[in-house]
Amino acid sequence: MHVFPAAPRLKRRHVLMLAGAATLAACAPHARGARNARPDMRDVDRRLRQAVTQGEAPGVVCAIGHNQQVVHRAVYGRRSVTPRPEAMTWDTAFDMASLTKPVITAPCVMQLWEQGLFGLDDPVSRYLPQFAAAGKSAITIRHLLTHYSGLPPDLDLAQPWQGREAAFHLAMGVAPSQPPGSGFIYSDINFITLGFLVEKLSGMTLDAYATRFILTPLGMRQSCFLPPEAWRPRIAPTQPDENGHMLRGQVHDPSARRMGGVAGHAGLFSNADDMCLYAQALLDRRAGRPSAYPLQPRTLMLMSTAQQPGGKSDLRGLGWDIATHYSSVRGDRFPVGSFGHTGFTGTSLWLDPDSDSYVLILTSRLHPAGHGNVVRLRHDVATAAALALIGPQG
């Protein structure tokens, strides 16, 4: 673990930055009457500052939404430690890692489902015939979306394969480690396969489809796969690759990187403004309020409620986590039935429709050398935020 030598000075500066941002949120034009009063987020800020000073992550951006407002914005620490220190900023772009799964790939899949191009319980091999190999003919699209396919967690990285075709052949040829529907195994291969399914059914690359039908309708102009070089100065670096090159603007996930940066399980880059847009649009559409979210309310209900096989205790929506061993990000106060997801790089988003709230945490916890850990931070911030928003009985 590393502690920043200049942490006290950074802390004071970012407290001032936070105060200005929080005031901006309270005075935003869309604030409503009695709901203008900002909740007390001092415990949230205390925990975020602690995470930086204790080396859980070099820096953090946090946004908390409630009742259709961003009620709290926080920025602490550093975006980059090496080769030179850079202060974290609100507009920093992050490698979103596995948040790509529910934020991009799952809604792409569900748009095609809304068009009637497949059924959720159709076998994957009906649309990708090669997938039937190695005993996978009974695996359905729903199994992939809920991580109940029985497939192992990752593609084999022991061999130096490269390119999308190689990834396709590996995904199509992999053998399940248990029968489909029998248990929850979180697997990148599930969403790599779903990315290929989107491409097969749409006739577009995943990044082109996502840009046209997910990001553009939502106005998410600071989000994309394969970020352009002009974005590089404000992208949070992660850690050196196998050749010692610091990854900055290149996806951290090794399978996604070998696939050229576009994959169903990882590859999205985004920032706090865009992710707040996304979260609010999702909550609005799900609640039946006016929204640019490009799915129907009933589809979002499907995606964010338990869809795993009957009798299974690991609760998963279609892309979203609800109650599994990954759900500590929910904290102690948001109810089961809220939903969210995490990313390996240190990103997370948790949404609670009952209280009309969300908690977004963006870190690059792997920078500079892969040692950061934000599992406890996510839990603690969600707990403190829920206490501030909905009280101890929430």
Side-chain angles (χ1 to χ4, degrees):
M1 293 178 66
H2 55 281
V3 178
F4 309 115
R9 181 162 14 107
L10 277 169
K11 189 189 301 184
R12 287 194 294 272
R13 182 166 76 238
H14 288 295
V15 166
L16 292 174
M17 185 183 301
L18 171 64
T23 301
L24 178 64
C27 298
H30 56 276
R32 290 168 168 79
R35 299 194 304 202
N36 279 0
R38 281 188 292 116
D40 183 353
M41 293 291 175
R42 284 176 292 183
D43 286 345
V44 168
D45 287 327
R46 190 176 299 116
R47 186 63 182 87
L48 294 170
R49 289 194 300 268
Q50 181 187 55
V52 172
T53 58
Q54 294 188 354
E56 294 167 70
V60 58
V61 175
C62 177
I64 297 170
H66 182 59
N67 284 339
Q68 300 176 264
Q69 304 175 50
V70 180
V71 296
H72 194 64
R73 295 172 169 89
V75 178
Y76 290 105
R78 292 178 176 174
R79 172 166 61 207
S80 173
V81 173
T82 182
R84 68 180 192 280
E86 299 171 26
M88 184 64 79
T89 60
W90 173 256
D91 67 347
T92 295
F94 293 83
D95 178 343
M96 303 300 286
S98 283
L99 271 174
T100 305
K101 294 179 173 78
V103 169
I104 295 294
T105 307
C108 289
V109 169
M110 296 308 292
Q111 281 187 340
L112 299 170
W113 174 79
E114 285 186 346
Q115 296 168 27
L117 297 184
F118 63 86
L120 289 172
D121 296 310
D122 288 350
V124 178
S125 59
R126 183 174 300 174
Y127 308 97
L128 297 171
Q130 303 94 321
F131 190 77
K136 300 193 296 300
S137 60
I139 295 176
T140 68
I141 294 170
R142 189 191 302 269
H143 287 142
L144 298 183
L145 285 162
T146 57
H147 293 286
Y148 273 83
S149 67
L151 295 179
D154 303 299
L155 294 179
D156 181 8
L157 294 172
Q159 302 301 318
W161 61 269
Q162 198 73 33
R164 296 175 61 74
E165 284 301 315
F168 180 83
H169 290 303
L170 283 171
M172 297 303 105
V174 71
S177 56
Q178 63 185 35
S182 60
F184 170 70
I185 301 175
Y186 182 83
S187 170
D188 285 346
I189 301 173
N190 290 330
F191 274 76
I192 290 171
T193 303
L194 288 167
F196 288 131
L197 180 68
V198 170
E199 296 185 338
K200 175 70 176 289
L201 295 178
S202 71
M204 302 172 67
T205 62
L206 179 63
D207 57 328
Y209 184 95
T211 298
R212 181 172 175 183
F213 294 109
I214 304 294
L215 300 174
T216 298
L218 287 167
M220 295 175 67
R221 299 181 182 87
Q222 302 300 313
S223 303
C224 67
F225 293 87
L226 305 173
E229 183 64 26
W231 289 18
R232 194 173 187 273
R234 62 179 181 82
I235 295 175
T238 51
Q239 69 180 107
D241 65 11
E242 55 277 6
N243 300 314
H245 169 72
M246 181 63 73
L247 294 168
R248 186 168 196 170
Q250 298 166 288
V251 64
H252 175 270
D253 180 88
S255 294
R257 206 166 352 117
R258 292 189 187 191
M259 291 173 67
V262 178
H265 71 297
L268 177 68
F269 285 76
S270 189
N271 70 359
D273 271 336
D274 269 14
M275 289 304 298
C276 287
L277 269 178
Y278 189 98
Q280 191 59 60
L282 191 160
L283 287 173
D284 287 343
R285 177 68 84 200
R286 192 181 186 279
R289 298 187 293 252
S291 171
Y293 198 91
L295 286 171
Q296 298 170 19
R298 67 184 183 95
T299 305
L300 279 180
M301 289 295 293
L302 271 179
M303 294 178 71
S304 56
T305 54
Q307 300 295 320
Q308 75 286 341
K312 301 301 179 182
S313 58
D314 286 303
L315 309 185
R316 296 288 302 199
L318 303 178
W320 292 106
D321 183 32
I322 298 172
T324 67
H325 57 278
Y326 293 101
S327 304
S328 63
V329 65
R330 184 176 70 236
D332 293 333
R333 298 294 176 178
F334 285 125
V336 174
S338 56
F339 59 95
H341 213 278
T342 63
F344 185 76
T345 52
T347 58
S348 64
L349 175 64
W350 199 265
L351 306 100
D352 178 32
D354 288 348
S355 66
D356 204 11
S357 306
Y358 63 85
V359 177
L360 172 72
I361 299 174
L362 300 177
T363 79
S364 189
R365 59 106 184 170
L366 297 169
H367 186 68
H371 302 313
N373 187 326
V374 293
V375 172
R376 192 69 202 178
L377 173 69
R378 292 163 171 162
H379 167 274
D380 294 347
V381 168
T383 300
L387 283 168
L389 295 175
I390 58 182
Q393 304 307 314

